[in-house]
Amino acid sequence: MRVRRLKAAIAASVLAVSLSGAALAATSPAAAVSTRTDGSTPTSAISSMWAWGNPIDPAVDARGQGMPQFEPQALASFAAAHRLRTVYLSVPWAADEGPFSAWLTEAVRALHGAGVTTVAALGGDGGWADDPDLAATWTSAALRAAPFDAIQFDVEPWVVSSDSELPAVVAKLQTMYDRAKVAAGSVPIGADLPWWLAAKPQPTGGTAFDALLPHLRSVAIVAFSDHAAGSDGIVAFAKPAATAAAAKRIPFTIGVETDTPEVAGGPGATFGDDSAALLESETAKVRTALSSLRGYGGVTVEHLLSWQDLLAR
């Protein structure tokens, strides 16, 4: 997953330079958080996070990663402290087999108890676009494993595709989402989509982003930059996609990165080499710029472990 995100971030950075003619740049930090209108407890623009990992002992199950940060109460405590409303929790293949079901069930319940309203099963592999039955199989197993509120796909076939191949990729993803929707029944399907899909015209009209929206119930718009303003900032990147989602009445969040520059594709693509204060101040600006759009649901942070590292500095 991290390799795919690195390639996607690099591709987005190249496109940003070609569109804006400017190199990525950071802005000066402002106040760390915004304040409620009643002047009470400060509140963050961050409403959700991607959580890649699990606490399962790898000696017990080869899929295990042994990360204590993913123990149910640890997840719940972090979510409550940051008042998160949505958590995308990574789910392995065949999650209903072995020790994962017990952990996932307890994690979902703990997160709900901490005030999280949507716990989504997060997963994806680029190969699922070529074989949508795999996505459907994973979806069915995830929902048997735990009482998830939603399914969230992070499938990024464009990292190995050219622009000329993108329409075919879009068609594959449409099929994959629809196949998963059948498997999910009444559980809604969402996806992570990069901002630049809204700059890619489809042969039949509209953009690649437009073409995928009708197949989803929500979208996390990935707009990796370490500042809100400017032609290479989060707002400029995300706004066309956010406007398209709002027009289709599809709820959306804006995704930002906190991993290392090496993983993210450069220092301009991540807050990982900045500070938690800058993350808060810049995402507050994103909220100011985009919250008037219908369906705006806040900012999603990629990802739990790197965000915790940033907070610990």
Side-chain angles (χ1 to χ4, degrees):
M1 169 53 62
R2 304 308 303 160
V3 172
R4 292 203 304 275
R5 284 201 171 277
L6 171 59
K7 293 179 180 177
I10 292 171
S13 296
V14 171
L15 181 57
V17 171
S18 67
L19 290 175
S20 67
L24 291 174
T27 57
S28 299
V33 291
S34 57
T35 304
R36 291 180 178 177
T37 55
D38 61 4
S40 62
T41 307
T43 180
S44 173
I46 298 167
S47 62
S48 48
M49 70 177 175
W50 286 282
W52 296 100
N54 67 69
I56 305 300
D57 186 345
V60 174
D61 189 302
R63 298 168 294 174
Q65 296 173 296
M67 298 172 173
Q69 300 94 327
F70 288 83
E71 292 289 353
Q73 287 308 312
L75 282 171
S77 294
F78 186 84
H82 294 275
R83 301 183 182 183
L84 301 181
R85 298 194 299 272
T86 299
V87 172
Y88 303 130
L89 184 59
S90 63
V91 175
W93 183 260
D96 57 337
E97 299 176 5
F100 278 88
S101 182
W103 163 61
L104 288 167
T105 298
E106 188 178 348
V108 170
R109 290 173 178 167
L111 286 165
H112 283 159
V116 174
T117 56
T118 301
V119 184
L122 171 64
D125 184 285
W128 292 3
D130 291 319
D131 189 348
D133 286 337
L134 294 177
T137 298
W138 172 83
T139 297
S140 296
L143 294 177
R144 286 194 298 269
F148 287 104
D149 305 297
I151 297 292
Q152 185 77 6
F153 283 109
D154 188 300
V155 178
E156 306 174 22
W158 34 77
V159 300
V160 293
S161 303
S162 64
D163 278 2
S164 63
E165 296 170 315
L166 188 56
V169 168
V170 167
K172 290 178 180 179
L173 285 175
Q174 290 171 330
T175 299
M176 188 199 79
Y177 296 147
D178 290 346
R179 200 74 56 87
K181 180 179 179 181
V182 173
S186 61
V187 178
I189 300 292
D192 307 336
L193 297 177
W195 64 271
W196 51 263
L197 287 179
K200 298 292 185 179
Q202 283 282 94
T204 55
T207 69
F209 190 84
D210 294 329
L212 293 172
L213 282 178
H215 301 266
L216 300 168
R217 292 278 295 278
S218 65
V219 61
I221 300 168
V222 178
F224 289 170
S225 176
D226 67 352
H227 52 283
S231 59
D232 57 354
I234 300 165
V235 173
F237 281 175
K239 191 169 185 178
T243 301
K248 294 288 187 180
R249 300 189 176 187
I250 303 295
F252 66 92
T253 62
I254 308 300
V256 299
E257 178 68 276
T258 60
D259 216 321
T260 65
E262 292 76 20
V263 170
T270 180
F271 290 96
D273 59 341
D274 297 309
S275 68
L278 186 65
L279 171 66
E280 290 289 351
S281 65
E282 293 304 297
T283 53
K285 295 174 186 177
V286 173
R287 176 174 57 188
T288 297
L290 300 178
S291 62
S292 63
L293 292 174
R294 185 189 195 109
Y296 171 83
V299 172
T300 305
V301 170
E302 168 78 2
H303 55 90
L304 170 62
L305 297 180
S306 57
W307 187 14
Q308 288 178 330
D309 287 344
L310 190 64
L311 290 164
R313 291 180 198 160

